[in-house]
Amino acid sequence: MTVSSYNPADPDDLVVAVEAPGAEAVRAAVGRARAAQPGWLGAGAGARSAALGRIAEAVEANAEELAALIVREVGKPLAEARGEVARTAAIWRYYAQAPYEPSGAVHETAAGPGLLLTRRRPYGVAGLIAPWNFPLAIPSWKAAPALAVGNTAVLKPAPEATACALRLAELAGLPADVFTVLPGGAEEGAALVDAADVVSFTGSTGVGRAVVRAATGRGVPVQAELGGLNAALVLPDADIESAAAHIAAAVAGYAGQKCTATSRVIAVGAAHEPLREALVKALAAVDDAVCGPVISAAARDRVTEAVSSAVAAGASVLTGGRVPERTGWYLEPTLLADVPAEHPLAREEFFGPVAVLHAAADLDEAIALANDTPHSLATSVHTRSLDVALAAADRLDAGMIRVNAPSSGVDFHLPFGGTKGASHGDREQGRAALDFYTVSRTVSVLPGGGA
């Protein structure tokens, strides 16, 4: 099978085509990574720190090339692509310090002489499965902590992001079999889950649940990030123009192809009419420099069919909803109202520049509506009231709550993950990732006796 990646802004532009290696090649690569792991760990904290620091430097030295590759392969607007490259370098530099972090603690014995230690040790080979929407940042925030604590890593990128992943591994320049990229599809991904010692997955809910079942069936630690149906709450006291700008960016930035994108807008009380007007205006002003194409024809068709279905069920299109007459998989940023509560647009993540506007009488109703979802990753709250912000932060059932900011922001040095069906297992990023990629051991050292 050939893995092919095309430019979503110009579907005739083939970015890369490689042969998928197959399941047996994946198992062999994991075997080589397992053989290389003791040497990588044994080289010491200094060697691992220096190696990860060099990756950060290589990413920065090739920043414009990498940004252009992201634009071409996954259709990300140039400003966002440059931002992702900068974040990628920062991730590697952040985790370059992790090898020097304490790996355990010393405790007093309950009675008598001796030494009690806890120590965190790497599992062996980290199997990493990454999506296409952040083709450098997500592989990096998985691989960097795994490598920092002494694992080796095998990465299976999404087919649509093959070229970016291969270039990242090339720039990394790590010793043989320490960081391996294996392009492929479902067969290669399943083989990696069946062979690795610890698994990290980001992608669709259906595939993620299968990954979790397979890994837990083997008794292997697994984390899975599965997206989210994210809300933005706007209170009457909010700066409506600023809130509309933030929400428009979170709905339509990179065509809504972020697991932290806003897909439900909840206007509270008197905020409804002014927010509706401001948000329609803000979304209508979004251009290619912010939005860009969706990843494929199938992705665009899924969104347009959902919009048509919602309209047939009684919804109204406030702005957008059309497919421009142009080359590439473009779709106008879209806002709908009066979408039936059980329609898929109100219950599912569509990964496109589309959102539904809801009205709530008060904060209690808004929070109940925001929490009424099978999965929530990020929720934004727009208000001038500190009391409201704190109350919402305490009561919203979301992994990340962002006050007076777009939902679509991530701080790589803090834990990342959602609630309910959005995440499984430990958090990613920050120090939480170092814990996930290591297992704790308790060591008792008692006197050996004698004179």
Side-chain angles (χ1 to χ4, degrees):
M1 177 185 117
T2 301
V3 177
S4 301
S5 176
Y6 290 87
N7 181 347
D10 181 5
D12 292 329
D13 176 21
L14 176 62
V15 180
V16 68
V18 296
E19 287 300 313
E24 190 55 44
V26 172
R27 286 189 284 270
V30 171
R32 293 192 297 272
R34 190 168 287 118
Q37 189 268 331
W40 173 245
L41 175 64
R48 295 197 303 279
S49 176
L52 270 59
R54 287 193 294 270
I55 297 173
E57 293 168 0
V59 169
E60 288 175 333
N62 294 273
E64 282 302 301
E65 173 213 330
L66 291 171
L69 182 58
I70 291 173
V71 172
R72 183 183 176 207
E73 185 164 41
V74 301
K76 184 165 289 192
L78 180 59
E80 284 214 35
R82 286 172 171 158
E84 180 176 347
V85 172
R87 189 198 312 184
T88 298
I91 289 166
W92 287 101
R93 184 162 286 114
Y94 171 77
Y95 285 112
Q97 302 308 307
Y100 292 114
E101 288 287 311
S103 61
V106 179
H107 301 262
E108 293 294 328
T109 61
L115 210 56
L116 298 181
L117 311 174
T118 59
R119 193 179 189 197
R120 302 199 67 85
R121 307 301 289 162
Y123 283 102
V125 180
L128 314 176
I129 301 177
W132 49 263
N133 58 331
F134 287 86
L136 294 183
I138 293 181
S140 294
W141 81 49
K142 292 180 183 296
L147 294 167
V149 296
N151 298 283
T152 49
V154 178
L155 168 68
K156 206 292 289 182
E160 298 88 343
T162 297
C164 287
L166 291 171
R167 184 61 176 138
L168 177 63
E170 184 178 40
L171 288 174
L174 293 172
D177 303 314
V178 168
F179 180 38
T180 305
V181 171
L182 289 177
E187 178 184 355
E188 288 74 18
L192 182 56
V193 173
D194 287 341
D197 302 310
V198 57
V199 174
S200 180
F201 170 89
T202 300
S204 69
T205 298
V207 175
R209 288 175 177 167
V211 167
V212 169
R213 286 194 298 270
T216 54
R218 296 179 52 225
V220 169
V222 57
Q223 63 181 191
E225 294 299 331
L226 310 175
L229 193 64
N230 308 307
L233 280 61
V234 182
L235 280 295
D237 69 335
D239 181 327
I240 297 297
E241 295 297 325
S242 176
H246 285 155
I247 294 169
V251 170
Y254 189 28
Q257 298 174 122
K258 304 174 185 178
C259 54
T260 54
T262 294
S263 53
R264 296 188 302 155
V265 183
I266 303 172
V268 182
H272 185 267
E273 285 306 314
L275 178 65
R276 173 178 170 146
E277 294 177 8
L279 189 52
V280 165
K281 182 179 178 181
L283 284 170
V286 169
D287 59 19
D288 286 356
V290 173
C291 188
V294 295
I295 192 65
S296 67
R300 187 176 68 177
D301 290 347
R302 182 169 182 259
V303 175
T304 56
E305 288 166 8
V307 170
S308 297
S309 170
V311 170
S316 55
V317 176
L318 302 181
T319 187
R322 294 179 297 271
V323 174
E325 291 292 331
R326 59 183 300 186
T327 300
W329 308 123
Y330 290 88
L331 176 67
E332 290 180 347
T334 302
L335 182 68
L336 298 99
D338 305 314
V339 174
E342 296 307 315
H343 190 276
L345 272 177
R347 305 296 300 169
E348 300 174 12
E349 181 185 45
F350 273 81
F351 233 54
V354 58
V356 176
L357 178 64
H358 301 273
D362 53 27
L363 180 63
D364 289 342
E365 184 181 348
I367 290 174
L369 184 57
N371 288 345
D372 183 21
T373 171
H375 48 206
S376 181
L377 178 57
T379 298
S380 65
V381 180
H382 303 267
T383 179
R384 287 187 173 98
S385 169
L386 180 59
D387 287 347
V388 169
L390 293 175
D394 192 48
R395 295 168 58 194
L396 284 166
D397 193 4
M400 295 182 294
I401 297 153
R402 294 171 56 81
V403 179
N404 296 323
S407 66
S408 54
V410 173
D411 296 296
F412 63 81
H413 56 299
L414 295 176
F416 173 83
T419 59
K420 295 180 279 193
S423 297
H424 174 92
D426 292 352
R427 294 303 199 216
E428 290 198 278
Q429 303 195 60
R431 293 184 56 84
L434 304 177
D435 289 340
F436 171 70
Y437 288 109
T438 54
V439 60
S440 179
R441 295 177 181 171
T442 299
V443 181
S444 303
V445 183
L446 302 180

